[in-house]
């Protein structure tokens, strides 16, 4: 092995061991064909491939400082998404789905700030929230959704987000949220794996209150803790990542409005080391 690569790997592993927070940016998947499988079987598999490839890329190219090891480690693909220029911003729509793995409201603001900074925009056009699932045996409730929605509303008021939406709400829960919320949901995603046809009552309610119904194929849990740790271990050449926890995953799409095509797509991921 090249001695220079060995030194870089040693430095990178020292940085990873010192860090308390890990931030990943996969770069633009539309223009990148580095993933092991050209067409991942599922969103979960795509994310797992992305984490492995991004960390492997970072480990092989990083030249970290030898003195100071940061608490927050930013690991990006060498093929990062091109920043959106002010001239083309009007022609593009930036859509985001945010998967919260833990019930931390600060995660929402952190994720939105990171997305704006990464893509060089001052505002995201739409954000759909997928909060962490309720405890085993419990069903989703308005009380479960309210803290996350209030944080999204604050980001709308500060003009960081233009429109906010939900995921997997039935008609009753969507109606409860709509009646309670100050900033109304503009969309609701429905998983067609769980219902092949849109429920008529949901369709009628959404039409009456101008809520867009979208479809998706994301699993309830985008990535398990074990799968995340496995992906990081592979990408970092077998570092022990057992005490790392996934905080949130943000998937973004940059769409050319006039043509309806996806110009860029990628993931931002945040994880933190659990206290011993």
């Amino acid at each position: 092995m090249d001695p220079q690569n060995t030194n870089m790997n040693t430095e990178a592993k020292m940085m990873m061991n010192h860090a308390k927070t890990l931030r990943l940016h996969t770069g633009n998947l539309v223009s990148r064909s580095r993933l092991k499988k050209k067409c991942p079987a599922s969103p979960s598999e795509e994310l797992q491939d992305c984490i492995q490839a991004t960390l492997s890329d970072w480990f092989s190219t990083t030249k970290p400082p030898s003195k100071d090891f940061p608490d927050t480690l930013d690991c990006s693909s060498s093929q990062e998404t091109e920043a959106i220029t002010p001239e083309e911003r009007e022609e593009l729509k930036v859509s985001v789905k945010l998967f919260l793995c833990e019930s931390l409201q600060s995660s929402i603001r952190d994720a939105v700030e990171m997305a704006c900074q990464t893509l060089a925009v001052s505002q995201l056009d739409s954000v759909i929230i997928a909060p962490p699932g309720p405890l085993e045996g419990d069903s989703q409730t308005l009380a479960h959704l309210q803290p996350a929605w209030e944080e999204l509303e604050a980001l709308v008021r500060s003009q960081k987000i233009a429109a906010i939406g939900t995921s997997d709400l039935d008609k009753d829960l969507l109606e409860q949220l709509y009646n309670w919320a100050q900033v109304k949901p503009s969309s609701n995603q429905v998983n067609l794996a769980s219902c092949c046809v849109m429920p008529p009552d949901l369709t009628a309610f959404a039409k009456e209150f101008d809520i867009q119904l979208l479809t998706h194929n994301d699993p309830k849990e985008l990535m398990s803790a074990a799968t995340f740790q496995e992906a990081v271990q592979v990408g970092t050449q077998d570092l022990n990542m057992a005490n790392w926890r996934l905080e949130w995953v943000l998937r973004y799409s940059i769409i050319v409005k006039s043509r309806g095509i996806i110009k860029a797509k990628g993931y931002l991921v945040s994880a933190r080391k659990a206290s011993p």
Side-chain angles (χ1 to χ4, degrees):
M1 182 182 283
D2 186 338
Q4 185 178 2
N5 287 340
T6 303
N7 289 338
M8 284 197 299
N9 287 342
T10 302
E11 290 280 357
K13 287 182 177 182
M14 287 175 66
M15 291 179 79
M16 187 72 73
N17 285 329
H18 182 276
K20 295 182 175 66
T21 303
L22 177 65
R23 297 283 169 88
L24 296 179
H25 177 213
T26 62
N28 183 6
L29 304 186
V30 173
S31 63
R32 181 174 123 192
S33 58
R34 294 195 307 108
L35 299 184
K36 293 177 184 176
K37 304 177 181 70
K38 296 285 179 163
C39 296
S42 67
S44 298
E45 189 177 276
E46 178 181 67
L47 177 59
Q48 185 175 5
D49 287 350
C50 282
I51 291 173
Q52 289 178 11
T54 301
L55 282 171
S56 179
D57 191 18
W58 181 79
F59 257 68
S60 65
T61 58
T62 185
K63 294 178 177 61
S66 57
K67 292 181 185 176
D68 300 322
F69 294 110
D71 286 344
T72 298
L73 199 57
D74 291 303
C75 300
S76 298
S77 163
S78 58
Q79 302 176 359
E80 289 193 55
T81 299
E82 295 176 12
I84 296 172
T85 64
E87 293 75 27
E88 64 182 348
R89 180 65 181 97
E90 284 297 312
E91 301 300 316
L92 302 174
K93 179 181 180 181
V94 182
S95 297
V96 158
K97 185 169 184 181
L98 177 58
F99 303 85
L100 293 179
C101 307
E102 298 184 354
S103 298
L104 295 171
Q105 286 2 102
S106 60
S107 294
I108 298 174
R109 185 170 295 276
D110 288 346
V112 169
E113 292 281 0
M114 186 175 172
C116 288
Q117 185 177 357
T118 300
L119 304 176
V121 297
S122 60
Q123 184 184 62
L124 304 177
D125 293 294
S126 71
V127 173
I128 288 173
I129 190 85
L135 297 174
E136 196 70 36
D138 292 345
S139 57
Q140 188 97 289
T141 65
L142 179 61
H144 182 248
L145 285 172
Q146 282 172 329
W149 197 259
E150 286 175 334
E151 188 64 33
L152 287 174
E153 289 180 326
L155 289 164
V156 171
R157 284 192 287 272
S158 64
Q159 300 187 331
K160 282 289 183 183
I161 305 173
I164 50 181
T166 56
S167 183
D168 300 317
L169 301 195
D170 60 19
K171 183 262 179 183
D172 290 342
L173 190 49
L174 183 61
E175 184 174 14
Q176 289 175 37
L177 177 64
Y178 186 91
N179 290 335
W180 167 81
Q182 293 183 333
V183 179
K184 308 299 183 185
S186 64
S187 61
N188 180 45
Q189 280 192 335
V190 178
N191 191 332
L192 288 186
S194 58
C195 62
C196 297
V197 181
M198 289 282 187
D201 60 343
L202 179 62
T203 304
F205 179 80
K207 184 177 180 181
E208 181 180 356
F209 293 97
D210 197 25
I211 300 171
Q212 187 178 15
L213 291 182
L214 308 167
T215 60
H216 75 96
N217 65 339
D218 297 314
K220 281 191 174 180
E221 184 180 48
L222 185 63
M223 175 168 275
S224 69
T227 304
F228 169 69
Q229 288 166 6
E230 179 189 337
V232 176
Q233 274 185 300
V234 172
T236 59
Q237 302 165 13
D238 295 326
L239 276 184
N240 180 9
M241 301 300 289
N243 56 344
W244 283 86
R245 299 171 61 116
L246 197 57
E247 283 188 296
W248 52 262
V249 175
L250 182 147
R251 184 176 64 216
Y252 63 84
S253 299
I254 301 173
I255 301 158
V256 181
K257 292 178 185 176
S258 58
R259 297 163 63 194
I261 63 168
I262 297 177
K263 179 185 179 186
K265 171 191 171 183
Y267 290 93
L268 303 176
V269 178
S270 180
R272 66 183 174 87
K273 190 182 291 182
S275 300

